[in-house]
Amino acid sequence: MQSKPFLTLDDVKKIAAAAEAEAKANNWPVTIAICDDGGHMLWLQRLDGAAPISSHIAPAKARTSALGRRESRIYEELINNGRVSFLSAPEVEGLLEGGVNIVVDGHTIGAVGVSGVKSSEDAQIAKAGIAALV
């Protein structure tokens, strides 16, 4: 039997604090979502001024990244390059850049999804959060 690392509440708080700091340093009103490797929400935080829809998009990006074990931007790129069949993939809703999987010792243990600014900036915030952990 193999064992793998998993996110603790303390880990999630570290990721969230670092992601929030990155967003605030750039004056970006976003929603930050963190989930485990099964796509189950562990954290949702909507910063002041973030659009209400971002509280739906950020978790979808996180879930897509965790379940797919890759950044959500990969799906966006596939679709933009003509592979529109991914639009019908089950459990895959956040098909935009901004979901980044958390990899520890080669295992995806969760993901961070961010929504509210340009997709590349969403990803920047997610990666800043993850950097606080790994």
Side-chain angles (χ1 to χ4, degrees):
M1 179 180 293
Q2 295 184 356
S3 60
K4 66 177 186 174
F6 63 91
L7 288 170
T8 66
L9 181 58
D10 285 341
D11 296 333
V12 170
K13 288 178 179 180
K14 286 178 194 173
I15 294 167
E20 178 183 355
E22 180 72 13
K24 286 186 172 181
N26 290 287
N27 294 312
W28 291 336
V30 297
T31 295
I32 301 161
I34 304 169
C35 67
D36 66 13
D37 61 339
H40 305 98
M41 280 302 106
L42 300 173
W43 189 271
L44 181 68
Q45 178 178 2
R46 189 171 133 205
L47 301 182
D48 293 341
I53 191 69
S54 66
S55 65
H56 294 278
I57 296 172
K61 288 179 178 183
R63 197 169 28 260
T64 294
S65 180
L67 294 174
R69 297 181 179 169
R70 63 187 69 177
E71 289 190 39
S72 58
R73 73 170 171 76
I74 300 299
Y75 297 102
E76 180 178 15
E77 291 169 359
L78 287 168
I79 293 164
N80 288 342
N81 288 320
R83 192 100 189 265
V84 294
S85 59
F86 269 101
L87 292 170
S88 66
E91 301 300 320
V92 181
E93 298 172 343
L95 302 170
L96 305 164
E97 183 176 9
V100 181
N101 57 318
I102 304 166
V103 180
V104 176
D105 296 333
H107 298 278
T108 292
I109 61 168
V112 179
V114 179
S115 178
V117 289
K118 289 192 273 185
S119 291
S120 60
E121 296 166 347
D122 290 341
Q124 177 182 328
I125 294 165
K127 289 175 182 177
I130 293 167
L133 180 65
V134 293

